[in-house]
């Protein structure tokens, strides 16, 4: 039977690559996000189903699951760099709400909808789930929270033949990474090449990771061969962690 896949934040970056990778395998893939335009661009000529929704809105998330999905990738996320002294409470709360609560609402709705044995819950977490970073207090806190959620859900669903795992990428070549590079340029008043070098400096491979590499990891975690991998935090970081 054709597997049904949902990818939140599937209109851009990592989510788009994941959606395309599952579609290329013959899965029936739905992509979600707030803005219609990137969703339409990602879906053009690919057969992806578009389902606009804000992952922080309980009712909108529940509505995504009118029928159950076999693979649910909680990928939607935000992140901005700032010294803790400069983080406004509203920005702190927004980061936790999108990254952590959004993942909670997505996984809860997937399970409430009746995910079947063989089902896969995958969170796009971060290396910031496994280590801190000097100027990412809200992002790292939210992504550590995502991993705690994944590890707990994994134990709860294991007997049902469902797995729940986190993928923890280092810097991936997307808009989000470009935002980080722009932030470094501004904060340190340095040119783009220098900011890029700082970003990739943490990766022993000294390069940004391609979104397709994260997508390949999601395909693996969704495969039958990965049925016993549960509650895992899979680092996709060139050896950074
Ligand atoms: P991106 O291109 O900015 O993707 C983020 C996606 O999330 C967008 O499609 C955005 O769509 C969606 N989104 C944001 N807020 C949302 C909300 N409230 N409701 C629904 N969708 C929302 O960046 P990306 O790098 O691909 O990020 C994807 C995930 O990978 C994130 O969780 C990020 O933390 C994680 N990650 C990224 C990197 C990296 O270096 N790029 C590294 C590690 C982990 P709308 O704005 O249209 O809603």
């Amino acid at each position: 039977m054709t597997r049904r896949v949902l990818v939140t934040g599937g209109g851009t970056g990592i989510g788009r690559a994941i959606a395309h990778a599952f579609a290329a395998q013959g899965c029936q893939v739905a992509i979600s996000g707030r803005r219609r335009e990137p969703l339409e661009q990602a879906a053009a000529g690919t057969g992806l189903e578009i389902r606009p929704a804000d992952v922080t809105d309980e009712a909108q998330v529940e509505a995504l699951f009118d029928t159950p999905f076999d693979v649910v990738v909680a990928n939607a996320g935000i992140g901005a760099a700032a010294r803790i002294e400069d983080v406004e409470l509203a920005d702190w709360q927004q980061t936790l709400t999108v990254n952590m609560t959004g993942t909670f609402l997505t996984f809860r709705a997937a399970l409430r909808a009746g995910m079947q044995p063989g089902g896969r819950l995958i969170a796009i977490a971060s290396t910031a789930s496994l280590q801190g970073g000097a100027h990412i207090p809200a992002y790292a806190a939210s992504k550590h929270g995502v991993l705690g959620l994944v590890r707990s859900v994994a134990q709860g669903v294991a007997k049902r033949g469902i797995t729940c795992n986190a993928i923890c990428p280092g810097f991936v070549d997307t808009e989000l990474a470009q935002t980080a590079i722009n932030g470094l340029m501004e904060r340190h008043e340095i040119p783009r090449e220098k900011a890029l070098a700082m970003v990739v400096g943490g990766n022993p491979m000294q390069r940004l990771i391609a979104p397709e590499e994260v997508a390949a990891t999601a395909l693996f975690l969704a495969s039958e061969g990965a049925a016993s991998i549960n509650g895992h935090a899979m680092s996709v970081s060139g050896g950074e962690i």
Side-chain angles (χ1 to χ4, degrees), residues 146-172:
V146 168
L147 188 51
L149 170 72
V150 162
R151 287 172 167 155
S152 296
V153 172
Q155 296 200 15
V157 297
K159 277 190 185 155
R160 289 187 248 167
I162 296 170
T163 66
C164 182
N165 289 289
I167 298 176
C168 299
F171 272 106
V172 183

Side-chain angles (χ1 to χ4, degrees), residues 71-235:
V71 179
V72 172
V73 184
N75 164 78
I78 56 170
R83 298 183 319 152
I84 187 167
E85 297 94 312
D86 299 327
V87 177
E88 298 298 337
L89 178 59
D91 295 333
W92 165 266
Q93 283 171 333
Q94 180 66 2
T95 306
L96 295 189
T97 303
V98 176
N99 294 351
M100 205 166 66
T101 309
T103 303
F104 156 69
L105 288 174
T106 304
F107 285 173
R108 189 185 70 172
L111 292 166
R112 279 182 172 175
M115 182 175 257
Q116 295 297 300
R120 299 284 195 267
L121 299 167
I122 300 170
I124 306 305
S126 170
T127 47
S129 298
L130 301 162
Q131 65 185 359
H135 299 311
I136 51 167
Y139 186 72
S142 71
K143 291 294 185 177
H144 273 67
V146 168
L147 188 51
L149 170 72
V150 162
R151 287 172 167 155
S152 296
V153 172
Q155 296 200 15
V157 297
K159 277 190 185 155
R160 289 187 248 167
I162 296 170
T163 66
C164 182
N165 289 289
I167 298 176
C168 299
F171 272 106
V172 183
D173 194 2
T174 70
E175 275 303 311
L176 201 138
Q178 291 308 322
T179 305
I181 291 167
N182 293 340
L184 284 172
M185 288 168 64
E186 268 177 38
R187 265 201 314 283
H188 300 287
E189 296 178 354
I190 51 173
R192 178 164 295 277
E193 314 84 71
K194 252 196 167 160
L196 178 64
M198 283 171 83
V199 162
V200 299
N203 178 340
M205 292 184 175
Q206 301 283 296
R207 66 169 176 81
L208 289 172
I209 294 153
E212 290 73 20
E213 294 178 275
V214 182
T217 310
L219 288 184
F220 167 64
L221 288 173
S223 71
E224 225 175 288
S228 290
I229 298 175
N230 193 26
H232 195 65
M234 189 164 283
S235 172

